[in-house]
Amino acid sequence: MAFRTAGTGRRFGAGRTRLMLPALVGLAFLLVAFLVFTAVYTNLLWYRSVGFSEVYTTQLRAEAVLFFGSGLLMSLVVGANVVVAYRLRPAYRPLSVEQQGLERYRSVIDPRRRLVSAGLLTLLGVLTGSSVAGRWQVWLAFLNRTPFHVKDPQFHKDVSFYVFTYPFLRLVLGVVFATVILSFLAAVMVHYLYGGLRLQGPGDKASPPARAHLSVLVGLFVLLKAVAYWLDRYGLVHSERGVATGASYGDVNALLPAKTILAVIALLCAVMFFSNLLRRGMMLPGVGFTLLVLSAILLGGVYPLLIQQFQVKPDELAKERRYIERNIDFTRRAYGVKDAQVVPYGSQPEKDAGKLQDEADGLGGVRVLDPNVVGPTFEQLQRVRPFYKFPDTLDVDRYPVDGRTTDTVVALRELSGAPSGQRSWVKDRMVYTHGYGFVSAYGDQMAQGGNPAFITRDMPASSARQIQVTKPEIYFGERSPRYSVVGGKGQQELDYPDNSPDGQQSNTYEGDGGVPIDSFFHKLLYSARFQDKNLLLSGAIKKNAKILYDRSPRERVQKAAPWLTLDGDPYPAVVQGRIVWIVDGYTTSGGYPYSEETSLGQATRDTITDTRSSVARQADDHINYLRNSVKATVDAYSGAVHLYQWDTEDPILKTWMKVFPGTVDKRASIPQELEAHFRYPQDLFKVQRKILTKYHVTDPSAFYNGEGFWEVPQDPTTKGKLQPPYYQSVKMPSPFEGSTAFSLTTVFNPRDNPQLAAFMAVDSDPSSPYYGQIRILQMPRNAQPPGPGQVQNSFETDSQVKNDLFALRQGGTKTVAGNLLTIPFGGSLLYVEPMYTKASGGKEQQPYPLLGKVLVRYGNQVAAAATFEDALKQVLGGPGAPAVTGSEPGQGGRLTPQEQQAINELQKAVTDYETAQKKGDYPGMGNAWKRIKEAQEQLTAAQRTAGNQAKPKTAAASSPSPTASPPGPAGASAG
């Protein structure tokens, strides 16, 4: 019998441990490799499914070249310097306490020197490569750069140098700088570790080889600094040191020559460091380095400061005038507002009643259906089932209805998930897979009771001849599930419940979108990607099944065109019977010379982006160039993505079309029916209006003094938020004569002043020859009309309108102010605001807004009526319209003293009735009810005496219905 000794057992256990560690490391490596492969390959499958695989492979190739190129450069250069430093180690090291302490480290590192070096250099290369690979767009744009054919006025270089070349040179310089610095640090560590550098002991603290090696590295650093100084000269076109962005007087006359001199000094200093290869001693390099530091302080800091203080400040406008002109010119070019037309308006309002009525007759439909308010109304009236959802902000579009192009408010009925209590993986992923239906309503008409007047509605969709939708299923939308499995043989995907024998209408997906998932390999990959074992194990996935993911319109377009910045509000349209999402794409840059920089996120913020979820907020990217270069579409059924060239002159778009050939279709290929639904994008408009708050001023003197600068007004209905722009049909006055055009509009206040400075509109109809033309009506500075906040206040304080709003707010009903539209009219401005009512109640009651009144103001006249037409008649004093009063209290009244007294008594009686009702005081309710009836009779008699037949209906609304039950327990409940 053989016995194993204890020592043998320990050796066996130790061997097993040594084997286990490499096995675990190997398994971890395989797991990471599998996850990386899964991410890359499933992305490739997605790109193939939309026909943009070349975009992904081009991006991967670029990232790979930058990753391995920069990583290898860093690893090889740093590694070479480590090897050189090691080979230059002294053969004999002096005996000292310092060297005795280092000997312990050398004894540990030397046996593993190559392994440690290889590991650290590999890590350094990976970190460098990962950082540089993310800049692949800079590299590809540089390789395919397109000239702007515009030269900057200082260096006379094409703008493309600053947009494409300068960022790439900075990238390369940054990588080389980092390589030299890390090489220097690595060389210092090796030299110190092996005795080439010493901190203690007599004699030289550096050996001659170490001194020469480090001198060369410092010389390289200083040489790169010379290159950086030379490049900095071109960076002055982005300077913020002057009155305006761009090279200022001080930059051109002080900093520019200083940078040139510093580049020469740095070059000479580098030569001094390189001379240490031939001679011993640090005196010459030290002198050179000291000279460089002093020159940088004196020439780069003190001298420009002196020029600024003693030449520029005493006569700043004269010195900076030409540079302000450059900034104004290039900023207006960069943001596409160079051709914005500003004309004086409002100095001579029309007073002839006949002419005003004629203009009112040609005013056309004014949109009173506010897409930012009626989302809950669409949801309550058209959701049909609780597992469908409408966005909280709807969209505005145009459709031909009954022979005329009509402004419409549109939305899609998207899926919110399987019903509560019926959740399961199969239902979530294979049954409730898509939304259903396109809903639209007239923008300028309302149905009975203040409801939207729907054009298309219900399930199945009903539309009497106007808008026909042949593919109402929405598999790709803003609220689509993270992923769905569709299209399997015999699979039933719910469209909507009905009264059929099956209890529902279903379909099986037949679109081209999606990735096949009926193979074990694909199931395994997507199970890992989504971390969902059901994708691998479920037997419900049948032959021909596909998986749909990355489904939102913005997400799909962003992946297909990663070089685009996308508008925050995609909108749906019906084109040839199919629902498509339209997404506006922008090309941006931060390198345009002399152009003022702005934050894209801040410039596009307003009430909608801050309070609604369906409109995406832009990132706080700082840009100084913006173009709406691409119109993109996403088919809501198939998910197909199309990119169309829109701005045919944009050099940045041309550059990316060379990088990714064939991905952007020419503008001529846009279907006419699709183009009819394009519109001027909101985010571009918001940025342009932000720029035009200052850059509508083109005179350098006025710009310097800040004369006439504007600001975007606060939203009068939401405290602390900016008023959003509004789409509406507008007819611009002379000299912009023309027909009524679908436009995007906004207004401006004078800076720190609540009055109105200007009205701005841009033609948003792509069929118009004036599409994209910015037109600004500037109000006279000595007689500016009221701004949005003042108009809102006039609605709330006008005696008659206040009574009308009081009537709407009875019984706990709330009012919700709609968009305050500003319309050029009669040589002045017409203000229109729909006021919605919303029943009080908790979330379980799901109250929704209905149109209560339309408020109108023209000049000092204010009115409220059930329709815009009636309110306009009142303010214009047309046939049959009552007389109107000023908008401020105390200016007179539409009401006679008898009418006002009756209304006051009616309001007090209603208040007393409600107070008694809350207390359960039935005698008090009966007394108040009697006073209500008496006040109503007095008001009717007073109105009849005044000859006003339109007001009894309005005033009567302020009390409980005359046919309500009498006071008492039952009556109180009814009231």
Side-chain angles (χ1 to χ4, degrees):
M1 180 179 294
F3 294 93
R4 185 175 60 185
T5 64
T8 304
R10 284 194 297 270
R11 286 195 299 272
F12 179 78
R16 184 168 55 184
T17 302
R18 286 195 298 270
L19 291 173
M20 185 178 297
L21 183 59
L24 291 175
V25 171
L27 287 174
F29 175 79
L30 289 175
L31 178 60
V32 171
F34 173 71
L35 293 177
V36 171
F37 171 78
T38 296
V40 172
Y41 189 65
T42 54
N43 273 337
L44 181 59
L45 291 175
W46 184 92
Y47 275 95
R48 287 175 178 172
S49 71
V50 294
F52 283 81
S53 59
E54 187 65 26
V55 171
Y56 189 54
T57 55
T58 299
Q59 180 179 337
L60 284 181
R61 286 195 299 269
E63 290 178 334
V65 169
L66 293 177
F67 178 86
F68 289 107
S70 60
L72 284 174
L73 173 68
M74 179 67 73
S75 298
L76 292 176
V77 173
V78 175
N81 279 277
V82 168
V83 171
V84 169
Y86 179 75
R87 292 185 175 181
L88 294 177
R89 70 191 186 280
Y92 301 100
R93 291 179 289 272
L95 294 177
S96 66
V97 175
E98 180 184 26
Q99 292 302 316
Q100 289 175 1
L102 290 173
E103 188 62 36
R104 291 197 299 269
Y105 292 101
R106 287 193 289 265
S107 63
V108 172
I109 293 175
D110 265 341
R112 306 171 181 83
R113 185 181 69 254
R114 294 184 177 179
L115 180 62
V116 172
S117 298
L120 292 176
L121 291 172
T122 300
L123 178 61
L124 186 61
V126 169
L127 293 176
T128 303
S130 300
S131 175
V132 177
R135 305 293 303 279
W136 63 270
Q137 294 191 22
V138 173
W139 182 51
L140 290 182
F142 167 72
L143 293 180
N144 297 273
R145 57 194 180 278
T146 303
F148 279 67
H149 301 296
V150 175
K151 292 186 176 181
D152 82 278
Q154 183 61 46
F155 300 103
H156 308 291
K157 287 188 172 293
D158 190 88
V159 168
S160 62
F161 172 80
Y162 302 98
V163 174
F164 302 122
T165 305
Y166 186 76
F168 177 71
L169 295 178
R170 280 292 179 189
L171 174 62
V172 173
L173 189 61
V175 173
V176 178
F177 254 126
T179 303
V180 172
I181 291 172
L182 290 173
S183 296
F184 178 80
L185 294 176
V188 167
M189 292 175 62
V190 174
H191 281 301
Y192 179 70
L193 182 63
Y194 288 97
L197 294 176
R198 300 192 304 275
L199 300 178
Q200 300 174 4
D204 291 339
K205 296 300 186 288
S207 65
R211 183 185 299 114
H213 182 199
L214 296 180
S215 294
V216 170
L217 290 175
V218 174
L220 287 174
F221 176 84
V222 176
L223 182 62
L224 289 174
K225 192 63 181 173
V227 176
Y229 279 133
W230 189 260
L231 274 182
D232 286 345
R233 298 163 66 254
Y234 300 108
L236 293 176
V237 298
H238 303 131
S239 171
E240 298 288 345
R241 283 177 288 270
V243 176
T245 300
S248 64
Y249 179 90
D251 292 326
V252 172
N253 293 278
L255 207 51
L256 180 59
K259 293 287 184 182
T260 305
I261 295 171
L262 286 171
V264 174
I265 293 174
L267 184 62
L268 295 175
C269 185
V271 173
M272 294 179 186
F273 276 99
F274 293 146
S275 69
N276 244 16
L277 288 172
L278 304 176
R279 60 183 302 278
R280 183 175 179 178
M282 292 298 296
M283 186 183 72
L284 196 58
V287 170
F289 188 74
T290 303
L291 177 63
L292 179 61
V293 172
L294 288 175
S295 300
I297 295 173
L298 296 175
L299 294 176
V302 176
Y303 178 59
L305 183 62
L306 293 175
I307 293 294
Q308 185 70 22
Q309 290 297 325
F310 296 103
Q311 287 194 20
V312 178
K313 289 289 186 183
D315 192 17
E316 192 169 44
L317 176 57
K319 292 290 192 295
E320 299 285 8
R321 175 183 291 274
R322 64 182 298 194
Y323 306 104
I324 295 173
E325 287 179 345
R326 293 176 179 180
N327 169 254
I328 293 173
D329 179 36
F330 277 75
T331 299
R332 288 169 63 90
R333 286 175 184 265
Y335 290 99
V337 300
K338 184 174 179 61
D339 296 325
Q341 296 175 267
V342 182
V343 299
Y345 177 78
S347 59
Q348 295 181 330
E350 182 60 62
K351 297 180 180 179
D352 185 87
K355 292 182 179 179
L356 287 174
Q357 191 59 53
D358 290 342
E359 187 167 348
D361 293 340
L363 194 59
V366 173
R367 182 174 54 75
V368 294
L369 187 65
D370 185 355
N372 304 318
V373 172
V374 298
T377 307
F378 270 53
E379 183 159 315
Q380 289 301 306
L381 300 180
Q382 285 298 305
R383 180 171 57 172
V384 183
R385 290 294 186 272
F387 45 82
Y388 291 117
K389 182 76 175 176
F390 282 94
D392 50 15
T393 298
L394 309 185
D395 292 294
V396 179
D397 202 351
R398 298 91 63 215
Y399 286 90
V401 179
D402 294 333
R404 71 181 182 94
T405 300
T406 303
D407 290 357
T408 56
V409 175
V410 302
L412 298 185
R413 189 185 293 108
E414 293 204 55
L415 182 69
S416 63
S420 177
Q422 300 185 33
R423 306 290 299 273
S424 69
W425 186 84
V426 171
K427 288 182 179 179
D428 287 342
R429 301 302 181 188
M430 302 184 68
V431 176
Y432 292 90
T433 59
H434 60 280
Y436 186 92
F438 176 86
V439 179
S440 62
Y442 291 96
D444 59 351
Q445 300 178 29
M446 302 298 291
Q448 187 175 8
N451 288 297
F454 290 107
I455 304 172
T456 52
R457 56 180 302 162
D458 301 335
M459 291 191 296
S462 63
S463 176
R465 78 189 174 278
Q466 283 96 346
I467 305 173
Q468 297 298 327
V469 182
T470 58
K471 276 291 183 184
E473 295 88 1
I474 304 156
Y475 282 91
F476 297 87
E478 294 179 306
R479 299 184 59 87
S480 296
R482 184 185 180 201
Y483 76 87
S484 296
V485 178
V486 301
K489 185 177 181 181
Q491 183 172 328
Q492 296 297 300
E493 298 147 25
L494 176 68
D495 278 348
Y496 55 89
D498 64 3
N499 296 320
S500 65
D502 294 334
Q504 66 181 44
Q505 287 294 322
S506 302
N507 85 98
T508 301
Y509 182 72
E510 297 177 346
D512 297 329
V515 177
I517 197 174
D518 53 359
S519 68
F520 175 81
F521 181 55
H522 282 187
K523 289 179 181 179
L524 177 64
L525 290 179
Y526 283 102
S527 179
R529 178 184 176 112
F530 293 109
Q531 300 180 17
D532 190 340
K533 64 181 183 300
N534 292 296
L535 284 169
L536 182 63
L537 303 178
S538 176
I541 300 176
K542 304 298 183 182
K543 185 179 180 181
N544 299 326
K546 294 181 175 181
I547 184 169
L548 308 180
Y549 59 101
D550 293 346
R551 302 166 68 178
S552 75
R554 292 183 85 247
E555 189 175 19
R556 294 180 77 79
V557 174
Q558 191 68 81
K559 292 185 72 171
W563 42 275
L564 281 177
T565 298
L566 302 181
D567 193 87
D569 186 23
Y571 59 99
V574 176
V575 180
Q576 297 177 352
R578 300 179 71 94
I579 300 171
V580 297
W581 292 95
I582 299 175
V583 186
D584 284 285
Y586 308 114
T587 49
T588 64
S589 175
Y592 204 91
Y594 285 95
S595 176
E596 178 166 297
E597 186 178 77
T598 188
S599 165
L600 187 60
Q602 291 298 320
T604 56
R605 288 187 65 177
D606 57 26
T607 298
I608 307 305
T609 60
D610 287 351
T611 62
R612 303 292 194 274
S613 62
S614 61
V615 177
R617 285 181 57 178
Q618 295 287 359
D620 287 326
D621 295 334
H622 289 270
I623 63 169
N624 64 7
Y625 175 90
L626 182 66
R627 288 290 186 275
N628 177 211
S629 298
V630 171
K631 300 286 188 180
T633 64
V634 177
D635 191 291
Y637 183 80
S638 69
V641 177
H642 290 282
L643 307 176
Y644 296 103
Q645 181 186 25
W646 187 244
D647 188 332
T648 58
E649 303 300 324
D650 179 34
I652 298 182
L653 174 60
K654 292 179 180 179
T655 294
W656 290 112
M657 290 176 70
K658 288 190 284 185
V659 175
F660 302 111
T663 58
V664 181
D665 296 332
K666 296 291 187 180
R667 178 164 180 166
S669 66
I670 301 175
Q672 186 174 355
E673 186 176 347
L674 171 63
E675 184 173 334
H677 293 282
F678 289 166
R679 66 189 191 188
Y680 201 80
Q682 294 186 68
D683 284 348
L684 172 63
F685 185 80
K686 292 176 188 177
V687 172
Q688 289 177 327
R689 75 171 178 177
K690 174 71 163 50
I691 293 300
L692 285 167
T693 57
K694 290 172 58 177
Y695 287 91
H696 69 281
V697 178
T698 56
D699 178 71
S701 299
F703 189 93
Y704 174 81
N705 294 321
E707 295 178 14
F709 282 1
W710 302 331
E711 64 184 11
V712 179
Q714 298 287 313
D715 191 332
T717 65
T718 307
K719 186 177 181 180
K721 310 295 182 185
L722 295 182
Q723 187 180 38
Y726 297 122
Y727 288 105
Q728 57 175 325
S729 291
V730 171
K731 183 177 181 179
M732 294 294 283
S734 176
F736 308 121
E737 293 292 353
S739 58
T740 301
F742 182 68
S743 304
L744 187 55
T745 65
T746 191
V747 294
F748 297 101
N749 289 345
R751 184 168 289 185
D752 300 322
N753 188 322
Q755 293 179 300
L756 194 140
F759 171 86
M760 170 176 158
V762 59
D763 194 329
S764 295
D765 185 355
S767 65
S768 168
Y770 303 107
Y771 173 85
Q773 176 63 57
I774 297 174
R775 300 166 174 179
I776 300 175
L777 304 177
Q778 186 168 6
M779 306 300 146
R781 294 186 182 181
N782 58 351
Q784 290 176 327
Q790 294 174 316
V791 171
Q792 187 69 35
N793 183 67
S794 71
F795 287 147
E796 294 288 347
T797 56
D798 177 81
S799 57
Q800 180 58 40
V801 173
K802 184 165 61 174
N803 290 330
D804 291 335
L805 297 181
F806 175 82
L808 295 178
R809 294 164 180 163
Q810 295 306 302
T813 300
K814 301 177 182 178
T815 56
V816 180
N819 41 218
L820 177 60
L821 302 179
T822 306
I823 304 170
F825 178 82
S828 184
L829 295 172
L830 180 71
Y831 303 92
V832 181
E833 181 179 76
M835 186 66 70
Y836 294 85
T837 61
K838 186 176 181 180
S840 61
K843 189 175 181 180
E844 65 280 355
Q845 293 178 300
Q846 298 180 326
Y848 56 92
L850 299 171
L851 183 65
K853 293 287 183 182
V854 179
L855 314 182
V856 174
R857 171 170 176 159
Y858 175 69
N860 289 326
Q861 315 304 329
V862 180
T867 66
F868 165 72
E869 290 76 14
D870 288 345
L872 184 61
K873 285 180 182 178
Q874 291 184 32
V875 297
L876 297 183
V884 293
T885 67
S887 61
E888 302 299 331
Q891 284 186 315
R894 282 175 280 184
L895 304 176
T896 65
Q898 293 79 10
E899 289 176 305
Q900 187 64 58
Q901 180 181 0
I903 287 178
N904 292 340
E905 292 177 358
L906 178 60
Q907 291 175 342
K908 188 175 187 307
V910 170
T911 301
D912 292 343
Y913 181 91
E914 292 175 343
T915 302
Q917 186 181 35
K918 292 178 181 177
K919 295 179 179 179
D921 180 6
Y922 299 119
M925 291 169 59
N927 181 48
W929 184 266
K930 181 179 179 182
R931 288 162 48 209
I932 287 173
K933 301 296 291 183
E934 291 174 352
Q936 284 182 318
E937 293 172 358
Q938 293 173 8
L939 179 59
T940 301
Q943 289 173 330
R944 187 177 299 112
T945 301
N948 186 343
Q949 300 300 323
K951 291 179 182 174
K953 296 179 182 178
T954 301
S958 65
S959 66
S961 169
T963 61
S965 304
S973 177

